[in-house]
Amino acid sequence: MTNHSAPDRPVAGDWLALREPADAAAREDSLPLIARLVRHWEERPPSGTDTDPGTEPVVVVDLGAGTGANRAWLARHLPGPQRWILLDHDRGLLEQAVAAARAEETDVVPVLAGVEELGRVLAEHPADRRLVTCSALLDLLTREQIRELARVLAEEGVPALLALTVDGEVLLDPPHHLDPSVLGAFEDHQHRGELAGTDAVRLAAEALQEHGMAVDVTPTPWWISDQAWARPLLERFLADRADAAVEHRPDLTAEAHAWLRTRLVDCARGRLRATVGHADVLGLPPVS
């Protein structure tokens, strides 16, 4: 894959921790995708070796592994045994993910690298049953990186489960007259340069289909209301959107700050509810 630098806005570990319960709840909607993935493995003809597919580890490459939340959730829903290849460009996050995996006695291999190393990693870890996965990553990639990701997956014949990509839908209740301005500026910020942003789900599905893979897309929205974990997540969600909106459109500074103050009051009073659209994409190569 073409070499690209890491995103200029690194993902903080505290944000990953805040979003973990919302992610876990949302991903319950993608369980049918996992069932379809398992059926795909079961329908594959044997490789010709004497290895029992039930005893050979499933090799899972987790792109942008972060603190390991994707592995922790997904491992419970995949058949075992498993070997996890955790790939991230952030050494600190990677160390957290590896420590968590080893605490659960998971067979784990850390790789300090970006998504451009996927082809090499797959070549180094052959197996009858493999999977490439990621969570909340696609929107941070460029359009070219998504096309290259699809090409590598298709050429290697490896399924992909690309989870929790934002799709641009954000509904705040009660509404505020500045919602469209601030949230629109945030979305424009997510598309800066060649970043896929909220087009990432569509771009990934199209690229996988162009390479002959079967694609299934399932909505996995966040529903944030009165859960115990909701308030700190909402506060950070709102602050990040205001900051990015101002960065992208400095003329919105006064309005964005006023919007944030009002929204934080709504949140503190338990009045604010949010729906944040995400989607999971499953790509399956043809069964040969």
Side-chain angles (χ1 to χ4, degrees):
M1 296 178 71
T2 305
N3 187 26
H4 295 277
S5 60
D8 59 6
R9 182 182 290 271
V11 178
D14 60 339
W15 167 245
L16 298 178
L18 286 172
R19 65 175 291 161
E20 187 171 340
D23 287 345
R27 294 194 71 177
E28 294 298 315
D29 293 331
S30 72
L31 291 177
L33 297 186
I34 298 173
R36 185 177 176 189
L37 168 66
V38 173
R39 288 196 301 271
H40 168 82
W41 282 330
E42 292 171 347
E43 293 167 0
R44 285 176 56 90
S47 63
T49 69
D50 294 329
T51 304
D52 181 353
T55 60
E56 183 184 14
V58 175
V59 173
V60 187
V61 180
D62 189 5
L63 300 175
T67 57
N70 186 35
R71 179 206 58 80
W73 187 89
L74 187 54
R76 299 193 299 269
H77 299 285
L78 295 178
Q82 302 162 23
R83 174 175 297 121
W84 282 77
I85 316 299
L86 303 183
L87 188 151
D88 204 294
H89 69 272
D90 186 312
R91 184 182 298 275
L93 292 180
L94 186 61
E95 289 174 352
Q96 291 183 56
V98 171
R102 289 176 176 162
E104 297 175 14
E105 299 184 351
T106 299
D107 183 356
V108 60
V109 179
V111 179
L112 184 65
V115 295
E116 65 275 3
E117 296 297 319
L118 177 60
R120 174 182 63 80
V121 170
L122 288 173
E124 292 175 352
H125 296 276
D128 274 350
R129 296 184 176 187
R130 292 189 293 178
L131 174 67
V132 170
T133 185
C134 66
S135 177
L137 176 69
L138 290 185
D139 58 298
L140 302 177
L141 302 182
T142 66
R143 295 167 182 266
E144 181 185 351
Q145 283 177 310
I146 288 177
R147 288 192 293 267
E148 283 292 286
L149 173 61
R151 182 188 63 80
V152 170
L153 291 168
E155 289 186 356
E156 294 289 335
V158 178
L161 181 59
L162 313 173
L164 293 169
T165 302
V166 291
D167 63 10
E169 180 188 33
V170 178
L171 300 176
L172 299 177
D173 181 31
H176 187 283
H177 71 280
L178 288 174
D179 286 348
S181 297
V182 176
L183 297 177
F186 174 83
E187 183 166 347
D188 291 343
H189 178 270
Q190 298 306 94
H191 287 274
R192 65 197 184 279
E194 289 296 315
L195 293 182
T198 54
D199 292 331
V201 171
R202 175 182 59 81
L203 293 170
E206 291 175 351
L208 291 168
Q209 288 171 334
E210 288 171 2
H211 286 282
M213 297 184 74
V215 175
D216 196 350
V217 179
T218 294
T220 50
W222 284 354
W223 305 99
I224 310 174
S225 56
D226 57 355
Q227 302 96 330
W229 44 262
R231 180 174 172 181
L233 174 64
L234 265 179
E235 289 175 342
R236 177 63 176 273
F237 176 87
L238 296 167
D240 282 355
R241 271 140 189 80
D243 288 346
V246 169
E247 181 179 316
H248 189 72
R249 283 190 55 189
D251 61 298
L252 277 180
T253 299
E255 290 89 344
H257 289 170
W259 174 86
L260 179 59
R261 286 194 297 271
T262 301
R263 284 318 203 176
L264 290 177
V265 170
D266 290 338
C267 190
R269 292 176 176 172
R271 298 180 61 239
L272 190 60
R273 305 289 184 268
T275 303
V276 184
H278 295 78
D280 284 17
V281 179
L282 176 68
L284 298 176
V287 177
S288 55

